[in-house]
Amino acid sequence: MSVIQQSFFKLHKPLWVLLAIVIPTTILTVASNSTLKNTDAVDWIDCICEGGIAFMTLLWLIATLLSRPKGNVTLLLFFGLSAMHISMLMDFLDEFYRFDSANTWLSAFEAFPAFIGMILMSFAMYFWYQEQQILNFMLLKKERFYREYGLTDFISGLYRAEYMKQQIDKELLALKHHNIPFCIALIDIKEFSVFNEKYGVTKANSLLADVGQIILLNLRDSDLACRYASDRFIVLMPNTNLSTAKQVINQVADRVSNHRPYAQGHLISGSNDVHWLCEQAHKGEQQASLLARINAQLNTQKSAA
Amino acid sequence: MAQFYEVEDAIFDAHTLILPIVEMAAQRGVMPDKILKGSKLFYDDLNKQTKRVSFAQLHCVISNTTKLLNADGISFLLAERLFHSLHGNAFQALMHASNLQQMFRISQLTQYELFPYMYAKSYYGNEQVHFVVNFSVCEPCEVVKGFFYELLAGLIECLLKWHFNKPAKRQESHGFHIKFPIAPPNHIEQFHSHLSCHYSFAHPMFIVSVDRAILLNKRDNALPAMTSYYLKQSRLSDYTIGFKQHLAQLITKMPKATSEQIATVMGISSATLKRKLKQHNTSFKMLKDEWQKQQSLIYITAQGYSNEKVAQALAFTDITNFRRAFKRWTGKTPSQLRAETKPFL
């Protein structure tokens, strides 16, 4: 993870520098145009609350810079949050400083950055919404109804078997109560352990990621693909009969086996044929027995080949 | 008397299990310091060729792994790696064995070189041979046990795939059945994808049952002469076993002995024995229970002993005592268990 964070740190270098200039400048401006209050004149509860608000806005600002790529949404978020932070910071500082009578403009100006900041943030939120819509569309076949990042598989980027089990439970209910049929497919890379040995773990992991993406690309919008375990993927096809499901998976298998990864600039060929199996769920079946059934069937199919 | 190693003895190569675990965790976004936390090991140490670790340290690293990467099937991936990275004399002897029975004998003889963490005892039934597997050094905690069961099952799978590599022979691998003493786990998908032999859960002990019919089947390209050559090369004189295994052997030899008598045989005081047992997460009573429980289950389910015969063989004073103890171990009376297992025999 530290590699990723480092790259985001470099990516937003100008913004970090700007932030490092703006905050001290604000503090200096306030300090040079006012006199320090007596300690007994300070309202400490106010201090903690306003200081806390200033600190939290700074935290959000840092989180934004660490997590987002470059772009207009990031810029708007940065300037919006920075402006809000300046207001909060000044609000916090005036607990300790009394503005000189010649500089009353300072107290009048205090809330202005926050106002501008909120306008900027509103635009940022609007564009962020649009951006999210596009991302949601891209994630369409990777997730259904709800997002749970803890269930993501680190290597393939797809969801794990656990997520699929939850979705299968839902479909089994729909089958039981509304008679809506669904199909499950397993896709298993042939001789993956040989590939693993020959080209190394890193290459093998990226093959898994590739295959995951190819499966996603060749599914219909309503389907869901997850990584099951090891070199095995699982696809849920809701409201689909067996013959349609087989057509879909046949197409997917065809595409996966045509994929040619590169190793040190050279094409690797004939390494990712797949075993696949498509089955319709029986009414009244349990999720655990359904999964056990199709996996056993695939294993038999593999050993017969 | 055989030498034995204890839980704190640093005798295992760090690069066989810990280094691959650390690397696999890093590939999944978990940094080495998290995996090594509490083990007093540092990542830089692991790369030294001579670095040795104790079972306690291994236990700690595996426990961290199961907490952080429970669903990733690290145990099964580790098994594949281990199988492909074994090159020593013991492994060569194993690979040239002419049949499964010889393989088992070799794995017993070279336990320290091949897989020093667990050991197996074989029991012959009418149709099947049962290999009961226990931990060699100490009694691990539940999650670590689960990890080792998966690791061993993964290794057996690799060995079977290699042994039955010809399509005509694949049917024979159905003569294998791995019985796990754990409830069906949440990450069942790892079992589905990694194991092609039969397996089931919730058994009273870890057993690998093999049809006797395939035990003596000859492997076509076996070279038994090479087996004896490599066995001679292998350091059989250094034959060592873990502390728990050593005690289990003493109990088997002297079923009626008290813990004081066992301590005398080992040449230590009974207070030292008690302290050592505690350090290994077990006690004299637990070890004796384990032996009697496993032995009686095998006698009843596989070898068709009567209660009298079992009670006699296991040094019980009378049958009532045995029946009571059996109920405590398994939750069933001997006759209930006989009725349940009859259909399978």
Side-chain angles (χ1 to χ4, degrees):
Chain A
M1 288 307 275
S2 67
V3 181
I4 297 165
Q5 278 166 12
Q6 224 174 10
S7 69
F8 270 100
F9 191 80
K10 271 187 197 154
L11 190 67
H12 297 303
K13 208 172 169 187
L15 298 183
W16 288 109
V17 173
L18 194 60
L19 194 64
I21 296 170
V22 165
I23 295 175
T25 312
T26 313
I27 297 172
L28 281 176
T29 313
V30 172
S32 62
N33 291 302
S34 51
T35 45
L36 211 55
K37 280 183 189 173
N38 272 335
T39 30
D40 39 322
V42 175
D43 181 353
W44 290 105
I45 293 178
D46 232 24
C47 269
I48 292 167
C49 296
E50 285 173 1
I53 295 173
F55 178 71
M56 288 313 292
T57 46
L58 183 64
L59 217 58
W60 294 348
L61 194 51
I62 292 170
T64 307
L65 288 186
L66 286 181
S67 62
R68 287 199 46 94
K70 263 181 170 172
N72 285 336
V73 177
T74 310
L75 273 181
L76 281 171
L77 282 172
F78 173 79
F79 285 114
L81 279 168
S82 298
M84 281 174 69
H85 178 65
I86 290 168
S87 271
M88 301 308 158
L89 191 61
M90 287 172 77
D91 209 23
F92 172 60
L93 288 171
D94 79 6
E95 296 298 319
F96 301 98
Y97 290 99
R98 186 169 295 112
F99 296 127
D100 300 338
S101 53
N103 292 313
T104 43
W105 64 271
L106 258 180
S107 52
F109 177 74
E110 209 180 72
F112 187 66
F115 172 64
I116 299 291
M118 283 186 179
I119 294 175
L120 289 177
M121 290 284 286
S122 308
F123 279 107
M125 287 298 163
Y126 174 69
F127 292 127
W128 198 354
Y129 163 78
Q130 292 196 327
E131 181 189 291
Q132 202 54 51
Q133 290 293 94
I134 293 166
L135 288 177
N136 284 348
F137 178 71
M138 286 164 66
L139 291 171
L140 197 62
K141 288 171 246 179
K142 261 179 70 179
E143 63 185 17
R144 297 177 76 217
F145 313 126
Y146 77 98
R147 183 163 300 169
E148 174 118 33
Y149 77 95
L151 293 180
T152 304
D153 172 59
F154 201 83
I155 285 168
S156 64
L158 303 186
Y159 275 118
R160 292 166 182 275
E162 197 53 42
Y163 188 89
M164 179 57 85
K165 286 181 201 162
Q166 293 169 4
Q167 296 300 324
I168 291 178
D169 282 334
K170 278 188 189 155
E171 290 304 317
L172 282 170
L173 274 182
L175 175 65
K176 191 176 169 194
H177 296 297
H178 308 291
N179 250 332
I180 304 170
F182 72 98
C183 287
I184 300 280
L186 291 175
I187 300 171
D188 188 300
I189 306 173
K190 269 185 197 170
E191 304 294 336
F192 181 71
S193 57
V194 177
F195 183 92
N196 200 345
E197 237 186 298
K198 205 166 162 189
Y199 299 102
V201 182
T202 322
K203 205 76 226 154
N205 284 348
S206 74
L207 177 66
L208 286 176
D210 290 353
V211 170
Q213 293 305 316
I214 297 166
I215 294 174
L216 284 184
L217 278 174
N218 291 288
L219 289 177
R220 302 163 306 169
D221 289 350
S222 56
D223 302 332
L224 169 76
C226 293
R227 183 177 176 202
Y228 193 62
S230 181
D231 54 335
R232 196 168 286 189
F233 293 86
I234 184 163
V235 179
L236 169 71
M237 287 162 281
N239 202 359
T240 307
N241 61 38
L242 191 57
S243 65
T244 317
K246 278 184 174 165
Q247 273 171 19
V248 172
I249 299 302
N250 197 9
Q251 170 89 349
V252 171
D254 188 47
R255 289 294 137 85
V256 173
S257 54
N258 275 318
H259 173 59
R260 298 278 173 273
Y262 282 90
Q264 280 131 18
H266 298 291
L267 273 174
I268 305 171
S269 57
S271 57
N272 39 338
D273 258 7
V274 292
H275 291 284
W276 63 271
L277 175 93
C278 215
E279 275 295 308
Q280 190 161 2
H282 302 325
K283 203 171 176 178
E285 201 168 18
Q286 295 294 311
Q287 173 246 103
S289 58
L290 168 64
L291 287 175
R293 172 167 73 91
I294 58 174
N295 276 288
Q297 221 169 314
L298 183 69
N299 286 341
T300 319
Q301 188 182 315
K302 270 173 83 174
S303 64
Chain B
M1 194 179 74
Q3 278 182 298
F4 59 86
Y5 41 86
E6 295 180 32
V7 69
E8 298 286 354
D9 293 342
I11 51 150
F12 305 118
D13 278 335
H15 61 258
T16 31
L17 293 184
I18 294 190
L19 197 59
I21 289 179
V22 168
E23 277 175 10
M24 279 191 263
Q27 285 158 11
R28 286 158 184 79
V30 177
M31 288 289 113
D33 55 314
K34 280 194 176 160
I35 288 289
L36 296 175
K37 198 178 168 196
S39 68
K40 297 184 190 129
L41 289 171
F42 295 98
Y43 183 61
D44 292 338
D45 294 345
L46 296 181
N47 288 309
K48 290 178 194 153
Q49 273 298 309
T50 51
K51 183 65 189 172
R52 304 241 148 184
V53 297
S54 67
F55 191 79
Q57 289 176 317
L58 193 55
H59 189 282
C60 175
V61 170
I62 289 176
S63 164
N64 289 343
T65 309
T66 51
K67 271 176 210 141
L68 296 165
L69 293 162
N70 188 31
D72 285 64
I74 299 283
S75 46
F76 291 109
L77 297 173
L78 190 60
E80 274 171 30
R81 271 217 191 180
L82 196 58
F83 188 79
H84 291 301
S85 63
L86 284 169
H87 291 295
N89 288 315
F91 187 67
Q92 289 303 325
L94 195 69
M95 294 288 95
H96 287 101
S98 55
N99 56 40
L100 284 173
Q101 180 160 302
Q102 202 180 11
M103 269 189 172
F104 175 66
R105 294 263 161 81
I106 292 164
S107 73
Q108 263 187 323
L109 282 174
T110 58
Q111 181 197 331
Y112 181 67
E113 258 190 271
L114 284 177
F115 200 68
Y117 324 101
M118 295 163 105
Y119 69 98
K121 266 167 91 174
S122 57
Y123 298 91
Y124 283 75
N126 293 332
E127 307 278 316
Q128 291 182 310
V129 194
H130 305 277
F131 299 98
V132 176
V133 184
N134 283 301
F135 287 91
S136 172
V137 191
C138 73
E139 191 66 19
C141 70
E142 289 306 313
V143 286
V144 175
K145 275 187 195 173
F147 188 93
F148 270 108
Y149 294 145
E150 291 169 17
L151 180 60
L152 187 59
L155 281 171
I156 292 171
E157 171 77 20
C158 288
L159 200 64
L160 288 182
K161 257 193 196 149
W162 178 85
H163 189 73
F164 300 115
N165 58 349
K166 287 190 179 156
K169 288 241 170 190
R170 282 217 186 99
Q171 280 302 317
E172 287 186 18
S173 67
H174 295 311
F176 258 79
H177 188 160
I178 301 180
K179 296 165 183 167
F180 292 96
I182 47 173
N186 281 331
H187 55 282
I188 184 82
E189 60 274 7
Q190 300 294 348
F191 289 73
H192 286 161
S193 308
H194 284 107
L195 300 181
S196 60
C197 56
H198 290 297
Y199 53 89
S200 50
F201 297 97
H203 291 274
M205 50 194 174
F206 189 79
I207 306 182
V208 182
S209 300
V210 186
D211 286 352
R212 288 184 70 160
I214 61 169
L215 207 60
L216 292 172
N217 279 2
K218 256 200 158 49
R219 218 175 70 78
D220 296 340
N221 35 7
L223 294 167
M226 296 301 280
T227 294
S228 52
Y229 167 76
Y230 281 115
L231 268 184
K232 275 177 205 145
Q233 300 290 308
S234 171
R235 297 166 303 155
L236 287 181
S237 52
D238 292 357
Y239 176 59
T240 42
I241 56 174
F243 172 79
K244 190 173 163 257
Q245 185 180 357
H246 179 62
L247 267 164
Q249 285 186 353
L250 289 179
I251 291 175
T252 314
K253 266 186 218 153
M254 301 176 282
K256 285 180 182 167
T258 61
S259 67
E260 285 78 14
Q261 287 164 329
I262 297 276
T264 315
V265 172
M266 292 171 79
I268 54 177
S269 73
S270 69
T272 307
L273 177 62
K274 207 170 172 187
R275 185 178 52 78
K276 276 189 192 295
L277 282 164
K278 197 173 172 192
Q279 192 192 1
H280 290 75
N281 194 25
T282 185
S283 69
F284 186 72
K285 191 176 181 316
M286 276 166 71
L287 285 178
K288 194 152 184 182
D289 263 11
E290 183 184 276
W291 174 69
Q292 286 178 324
K293 170 187 160 185
Q294 296 185 348
Q295 211 73 19
S296 59
L297 276 164
I298 288 287
Y299 285 154
I300 289 171
T301 57
Q303 298 176 333
Y305 275 29
S306 67
N307 285 1
E308 290 86 350
K309 218 173 157 188
V310 180
Q312 201 186 358
L314 296 180
F316 275 94
T317 45
D318 57 57
I319 298 172
T320 331
N321 255 340
F322 163 65
R323 281 171 56 92
R324 200 176 300 135
F326 193 84
K327 183 101 193 247
R328 179 161 56 85
W329 298 325
T330 62
K332 290 166 195 151
T333 63
S335 41
Q336 277 173 333
L337 190 78
R338 274 195 200 94
E340 274 176 32
T341 48
K342 205 151 244 163
F344 302 112
L345 288 175

